[in-house]
Amino acid sequence: MTQPAATALEGIRVLDMTHVQSGPSATQILAWLGADVVKLEAPTGDVTRKQLRDVPDADSLYFTMLNGNKRSITLNTKTERGKELLTELIRRSDVLVENFGPGAVDRMGFTWERVREINPRIVYASIKGFGEGPYTDYKAYEVVAQAMGGSMATTGFEDGPPMATGAQIGDSGTGIHLVAAVLAALLQRTRTGRGQRVNVAMQHSVLNLCRVKLRDQQRLAHGRLAEYPNEDFGDEVPRSGNASGGGQPGWAVRCAPGGPNDYVYVIVQPVGWRPITALIGRPELADDPEWATPEARLPKLGKMFQLIEEWTGTLPKWQVLEKLNAHNIPCGPILSTKEIIEDPSLRANEIVVEVEHPQRGTYLTVGSPLKLSDSSVPIRRSPLLGEHNEEVYVAELGLAAEDLPLLKSSGVI
């Protein structure tokens, strides 16, 4: 396969002033799309370089898996010389992304008005925890966003506490929303010649991902939600375990030998009911008026999935998968993190990618899920702290090479 001559975002310079997860997840996607992402870090580095370390004195997997395909420079923006260099970096960038606490960049002296004055074409993008209002100054973290965006209240079983999801919908979910906004702003700039301010709040992004629960909150005004397995309904959407909550009922059914991830998630479509009854050894239920139609089955979802589980519980999940797929019944095995890392198809699709790192040796990372026929960007390792100082400050900004040791000794870089 021949490599395309260009990438989708070739020529776009992103000044990445983000840290931890929500911001870095967004700028990494921009890098995967071909943008030149320059990660600007304090001389001490992004805090996640040292968090959850598994290899002594090496960047953590937390950092490496969120900062691939980027360049790293260091800069102390609290110094006067640092502010001058930041001004020059802003002047040369197409996009500035930050996820500091509310007002932090303003206090550095770089309000939107000032940034726009330096570079009228720049897209200045921010991730914050919340929008304008009573929560504006609250600190937000992944699970805080899940809690306040509707996810936790609707996740878990009805007799248990609210639960966080393992998917990082507050952090990385917000990062994906920010990418969409940045790309739209860049496209609009081709018509107007102007940059613009872009803001995305974590709470708002989680709520967008939970929109079906807001749908169901309004439907509750007309009575119980038949597709939910819950018996009792109050005036708010309940936690409903593994119910799909959609038009086609689904559930995770246990398989042999009964380990923590020996489950298959099964969707029961109307057309799939007859082959399911044959597979579970209850073919008479296909024509039984008490079971034959979706309307008849809705009040008995718990019993329906119990009947299916009596069959699946005797077979390994991969065998269940094979038998259900033979009849085009929508289903999927619950894959553990170990199974995902070892899945050959995910390796073949470059979604699980092996990368070489000078400190860590080999590590696995998640590759880009965005596949563009004319824009192929190889997955590269994360940069070492300040690895590209000379490349950016000397070769691109025009500083003298002998200036770098002085800037370093004086705490500027």
Side-chain angles (χ1 to χ4, degrees):
M1 185 175 112
T2 57
Q3 288 292 331
T7 60
L9 295 183
E10 184 167 321
I12 297 295
R13 165 73 65 83
V14 178
L15 184 57
D16 179 3
M17 296 179 66
T18 69
H19 60 291
V20 192
Q21 183 179 166
S22 62
S25 69
T27 52
Q28 181 166 256
I29 291 174
L30 294 172
W32 284 340
L33 292 171
D36 174 19
V37 177
V38 178
K39 185 176 177 72
L40 188 155
E41 302 179 68
T44 51
D46 185 321
V47 66
T48 60
R49 285 185 184 269
K50 298 178 182 178
Q51 281 186 354
L52 307 177
R53 269 182 169 160
D54 58 318
V55 176
D57 302 318
D59 289 334
S60 71
L61 288 167
Y62 194 177
F63 178 85
T64 60
M65 293 181 71
L66 285 160
N67 291 283
N69 288 69
K70 303 178 185 179
R71 299 193 287 168
S72 169
I73 61 173
T74 55
L75 188 64
N76 183 351
T77 56
K78 295 178 181 178
T79 65
E80 284 310 307
R81 183 60 176 138
K83 292 182 195 301
E84 291 172 3
L85 291 171
L86 178 55
T87 300
E88 199 54 41
L89 289 164
I90 290 170
R91 185 170 286 118
R92 293 163 178 263
S93 297
D94 298 283
V95 182
L96 166 61
V97 186
E98 61 89 16
N99 65 328
F100 291 105
V105 181
D106 289 2
R107 290 191 294 273
M108 292 178 198
F110 292 89
T111 61
W112 165 230
E113 289 72 26
R114 174 62 183 139
V115 169
R116 183 169 50 182
E117 183 182 89
I118 297 166
N119 181 354
R121 288 176 54 81
I122 199 165
V123 174
Y124 180 3
S126 298
I127 288 176
K128 296 291 177 270
F130 307 97
E132 293 298 321
Y135 312 132
T136 302
D137 294 326
Y138 285 19
K139 283 188 174 180
Y141 286 82
E142 166 64 44
V143 184
V144 171
Q146 289 190 32
M148 297 182 68
S151 177
M152 288 187 72
T154 55
T155 302
F157 288 84
E158 65 179 323
D159 57 351
M163 298 288 290
T165 174
Q168 304 290 283
I169 61 174
D171 276 329
S172 289
T174 305
I176 293 166
H177 283 81
L178 189 81
V179 169
V182 166
L183 295 179
L186 287 172
L187 181 61
Q188 187 172 5
R189 189 180 73 172
T190 64
R191 299 192 299 271
T192 66
R194 297 191 309 275
Q196 61 184 292
R197 190 79 167 91
V198 170
N199 282 289
V200 178
M202 293 168 69
Q203 182 192 30
H204 300 172
S205 297
V206 172
L207 178 56
N208 185 44
L209 296 173
C210 291
R211 65 174 63 206
V212 296
K213 300 302 182 182
L214 223 58
R215 171 202 69 190
D216 292 345
Q217 178 65 36
Q218 296 173 84
R219 293 173 60 231
L220 268 177
H222 306 287
R224 73 181 303 276
L225 307 175
E227 70 281 1
Y228 280 61
N230 308 65
E231 293 183 8
D232 299 317
F233 284 84
D235 60 357
E236 53 195 27
V237 176
R239 291 187 278 282
S240 55
N242 288 318
S244 71
Q248 311 297 332
W251 198 258
V253 290
R254 186 180 287 274
C255 303
N261 290 300
D262 287 323
Y263 288 83
V264 168
Y265 196 87
V266 183
I267 301 285
V268 181
Q269 295 175 312
V271 71
W273 179 240
R274 183 173 293 276
I276 285 175
T277 61
L279 285 169
I280 68 176
R282 297 292 301 273
E284 72 279 4
L285 298 180
D287 299 309
D288 185 335
E290 292 293 311
W291 290 95
T293 65
E295 293 74 20
R297 294 191 293 273
L298 271 178
K300 301 188 285 287
L301 291 181
K303 178 62 176 175
M304 179 182 75
F305 285 109
Q306 180 186 334
L307 291 171
I308 295 171
E309 190 169 83
E310 287 172 5
W311 168 67
T312 62
T314 66
L315 300 169
K317 65 185 178 184
W318 295 105
Q319 200 170 334
V320 171
L321 181 71
E322 183 181 347
K323 290 180 179 293
L324 291 174
N325 271 297
H327 296 279
N328 293 316
I329 295 164
C331 61
I334 308 303
L335 295 184
S336 70
T337 49
K338 183 175 184 292
E339 287 172 313
I340 285 171
I341 274 182
E342 295 172 352
D343 189 307
S345 70
L346 294 176
R347 298 287 185 106
N349 281 280
E350 297 184 332
I351 296 299
V352 176
V353 183
E354 195 169 81
V355 183
E356 285 289 336
H357 190 275
Q359 294 174 331
R360 301 188 56 86
T362 300
Y363 71 95
L364 291 177
T365 191
V366 178
S368 175
L370 312 176
K371 306 298 185 185
L372 284 70
S373 63
D374 282 353
S375 179
S376 178
V377 179
I379 301 300
R380 301 194 309 271
R381 67 168 175 86
S382 61
L384 301 177
L385 180 61
E387 181 175 346
H388 301 94
N389 277 349
E390 184 172 353
E391 191 172 291
V392 172
Y393 290 129
V394 177
E396 296 174 17
L397 262 62
L399 274 64
E402 54 269 24
D403 288 344
L404 290 188
L406 180 59
L407 289 172
K408 188 171 181 62
S409 64
S410 58
V412 176
I413 64 173

